[in-house]
Amino acid sequence: FTLQVQFQGLFQMILVLGIGGSFPYGFHISVINYPSVVIKHHFIFQHIRKFINETWIERHGSPLHPETIMLLWSFIVSVYGIGGFLGSLCCGYLTTKYRKKKCQMFTNLIMLVAALLMAFSKTAKSFEMILAGRFLYGVGTGFSLNIHPQYVGEISPKKLRGFTNSTVAVFLTLGKLTGQVVGLREILGSEALWPWLLASSGLSALVQLVTLPFFPDSPSYLLIQKGNEEAFRKAIRKLWGEGDHQAEIDDIMKEKAAVTSTKTLRVLEVIKERSLRWQLYILVTVMTTLQLCGINAIYFYSFEVFHTAKFEEYLIPYVSLGVGLCECLSSILCSTLIERFGRKVLLWGGYTLMCSVLALLTMTLSLQHQFFWLHYFSVILIFLFVFFYGIGPSGATVSIMVEIFSQSYRPSAFLIVGCINWMGLFVLGMIFPLIVDNLGPFCFLIFLGILVLSAIFIYLYLPETKGKSIMEIKAEFNK
């Protein structure tokens, strides 16, 4: 309770950053990009397909060919990734020049414009507005996904850094879960209300736009980048209370002294910097594994597994909701475990447990037609995989990405992270259906292999970052 009172400002800022940060990304993935084997069971697809066709008939007097409608739907889905990629590319430069806080508030304005386009697309009888809205949502989310982890990591003291960093994953999974809930036909997933479903994430942008001006920039940014020691100490008092924070202040002072120039290094300069070679290896490994660990494949396959397990079709969205709830709760559990077990254990341990589940799931899906009870075992394994993903890689990956880079390198490092993330989503969306068609349930063996290699690499080469300053972590890598 004493801790909660002392760091009340910090916890409030974490809430505000999360609402407009990773939450919208999870929401959008859940509402439109949420994968299922049979696309015709996707409510939003059904409604938007009908809307496009009706709009075209009203304009030109004849219906569109089904393949053309599918092509337009593909544009609606993929333009989000294009916007996200562009947002990530611009974010590093703009946050360095105009501050993370100012850029995040500008991001909220972009998201509000996108929400308005979505909300009035049906009234205006323009599916082009949906395309434009999705693109702007992508740009805004590309910014938010870069800014949120950096901002949260920079405002936290060492003893709470793991917890605060893992809240990025908590808000992302909370966004997924919220999208699943409000996307039900009984709420906003109906034919009459689907534009408001697509527009509803604008509420989180509005909340953050109104509340974020009352919070300070990150203390390390104010000291290292701006050299404003008075604002630095004022920000610490507002976020961390009036306690004794001299040890933390000394660590940030040491980091400032170690930085020969306040100029933030560009991406190519970071890549060429030999002292950052192992940090980059770790960064690429954990981020690539997060994309290719099989979580998207599990969601992709879940509809088929639930269907073969003899769940009624109207119940499947609610069972899928249970999967989303499991991921959200396990991410919250990760935020409580990360300071006890450390980042390294949660990463390689999570990878190992996920490997075991994927091996069993491949076996049960291959033999499910011979033994009826294996259908239900497959459902249990899906929940277990999501649980192990949530308590391990989901939260710990963000913490590692923030903690292994100092203030001068972090924006460029996160630009690399953004490129890997959005390119991974695009490539996975393009090739995964082909892999499933050719390999069936054995597609999970690809992800199993990636998890095995990553677990070994992390176990051997990642130093534990729990409770260490940036300079101590850098010394560990220099070994």
Side-chain angles (χ1 to χ4, degrees):
F1 178 76
T2 304
L3 185 71
Q4 186 177 1
V5 170
Q6 182 181 357
F7 291 97
Q8 187 177 5
L10 173 66
F11 296 145
Q12 288 172 350
M13 189 167 187
I14 289 169
L15 180 62
V16 169
L17 289 174
I19 286 172
S22 57
F23 179 91
Y25 176 73
F27 185 90
H28 297 146
I29 283 182
S30 180
V31 168
I32 282 192
N33 286 356
Y34 207 78
S36 62
V37 169
V38 187
I39 196 73
K40 67 181 180 181
H41 292 281
H42 200 302
F43 300 153
I44 297 301
F45 168 70
Q46 294 173 349
H47 301 325
I48 291 181
R49 180 181 62 178
K50 184 179 178 182
F51 169 65
I52 291 172
N53 204 32
E54 288 176 349
T55 303
W56 194 266
I57 291 171
E58 190 168 324
R59 290 180 187 177
H60 304 283
S62 60
L64 270 172
H65 194 277
E67 289 184 3
T68 307
I69 296 176
M70 279 302 298
L71 182 63
L72 286 171
W73 168 258
S74 299
F75 283 149
I76 288 171
V77 173
S78 60
V79 77
Y80 178 72
I82 295 169
F85 185 74
L86 291 175
S88 294
L89 286 178
C90 300
C91 187
Y93 169 76
L94 292 175
T95 52
T96 302
K97 187 172 183 179
Y98 297 110
R99 305 183 352 241
K100 295 180 181 69
K101 180 178 170 181
K102 187 180 288 187
C103 286
Q104 186 59 45
M105 291 176 67
F106 177 70
T107 298
N108 293 327
L109 294 175
I110 294 175
M111 301 287 263
L112 286 172
V113 171
L116 289 172
L117 288 171
M118 292 294 195
F120 295 105
S121 59
K122 190 175 181 181
T123 306
K125 297 179 180 179
S126 170
F127 57 82
E128 294 87 354
M129 289 172 68
I130 299 176
L131 276 165
R134 282 283 289 175
F135 176 75
L136 291 177
Y137 269 149
V139 172
T141 310
F143 269 89
S144 295
L145 272 185
N146 269 12
I147 296 171
H148 184 196
Q150 294 183 69
Y151 212 149
V152 166
E154 290 169 13
I155 64 175
S156 310
K158 278 190 297 187
K159 61 184 175 182
L160 292 175
R161 199 171 56 205
F163 163 76
T164 55
N165 288 334
S166 64
T167 60
V168 175
V170 172
F171 281 102
L172 194 153
T173 55
L174 191 60
K176 280 187 186 179
L177 183 62
T178 304
Q180 284 179 274
V181 172
V182 299
L184 293 171
R185 283 180 172 175
E186 294 83 354
I187 305 179
L188 293 180
S190 65
E191 188 174 352
L193 297 176
W194 65 262
W196 297 104
L197 170 63
L198 300 182
S200 55
S201 69
L203 289 173
S204 62
L206 182 61
V207 170
Q208 191 181 69
L209 183 64
V210 171
T211 54
L212 193 56
F214 296 99
F215 293 93
D217 287 296
S218 73
S220 57
Y221 169 83
L222 291 170
L223 181 67
I224 297 172
Q225 299 297 122
K226 292 299 180 184
N228 190 336
E229 188 169 340
E230 183 183 350
F232 159 73
R233 293 183 180 276
K234 185 178 179 181
I236 283 183
R237 285 195 301 271
K238 186 163 186 176
L239 294 171
W240 301 352
E242 297 292 341
D244 181 17
H245 306 297
Q246 191 57 45
E248 296 280 353
I249 291 171
D250 290 342
D251 285 337
I252 300 174
M253 291 287 191
K254 288 176 186 175
E255 184 184 349
K256 183 179 188 301
V259 177
T260 55
S261 172
T262 56
K263 175 180 174 289
T264 301
L265 296 188
R266 296 179 180 177
V267 174
L268 287 178
E269 293 172 322
V270 168
I271 293 173
K272 290 177 183 177
E273 180 64 45
R274 291 189 62 82
S275 65
L276 297 176
R277 194 60 49 84
W278 279 99
Q279 286 95 317
L280 288 173
Y281 291 157
I282 295 292
L283 178 74
V284 172
T285 299
V286 296
M287 195 61 213
T288 304
T289 307
L290 194 68
Q291 284 291 335
L292 301 178
C293 67
I295 188 66
N296 292 314
I298 288 292
Y299 279 122
F300 191 97
Y301 241 101
S302 62
F303 178 88
E304 183 176 288
V305 172
F306 297 150
H307 194 266
T308 54
K310 301 297 187 290
F311 284 101
E312 294 290 340
E313 195 166 305
Y314 75 91
L315 287 177
I316 290 177
Y318 299 97
V319 182
S320 299
L321 187 61
V323 177
L325 180 61
C326 179
E327 185 181 350
C328 186
L329 292 177
S330 59
S331 296
I332 294 171
L333 182 60
C334 175
S335 68
T336 65
L337 297 177
I338 194 165
E339 291 297 352
R340 177 175 296 183
F341 293 101
R343 291 68 159 148
K344 183 175 180 176
V345 171
L346 289 183
L347 274 178
W348 74 260
Y351 292 159
T352 305
L353 291 170
M354 289 160 69
C355 281
S356 305
V357 174
L358 283 185
L360 289 171
L361 188 59
T362 303
M363 190 187 313
T364 58
L365 290 174
S366 303
L367 302 174
Q368 63 184 351
H369 299 297
Q370 298 180 32
F371 305 97
F372 76 93
W373 51 270
L374 283 179
H375 299 312
Y376 304 102
F377 194 48
S378 297
V379 173
I380 294 170
L381 288 173
I382 284 175
F383 277 89
L384 272 178
F385 185 89
V386 170
F387 179 77
F388 292 144
Y389 169 79
I391 64 169
S394 178
T397 298
V398 176
S399 197
I400 288 296
M401 292 189 305
V402 173
E403 292 173 352
I404 63 176
F405 290 98
S406 63
Q407 182 76 32
S408 297
Y409 310 135
R410 201 172 287 133
S412 293
F414 268 80
L415 194 154
I416 297 170
V417 166
C419 291
I420 294 172
N421 178 54
W422 293 103
M423 287 173 65
L425 277 177
F426 177 77
V427 171
L428 202 62
M430 292 291 289
I431 68 171
F432 184 69
L434 299 175
I435 294 174
V436 172
D437 287 341
N438 288 285
L439 296 179
F442 293 101
C443 69
F444 291 117
L445 295 177
I446 298 172
F447 305 112
L448 191 153
I450 292 169
L451 287 167
V452 169
L453 293 175
S454 298
I456 295 170
F457 184 80
I458 293 299
Y459 182 80
L460 293 176
Y461 298 113
L462 175 66
E464 180 53 65
T465 60
K466 181 182 78 170
K468 296 177 182 176
S469 68
I470 294 293
M471 300 311 297
E472 291 169 333
I473 294 169
K474 187 177 180 181
E476 289 280 344
F477 274 107
N478 288 340
K479 294 178 182 179

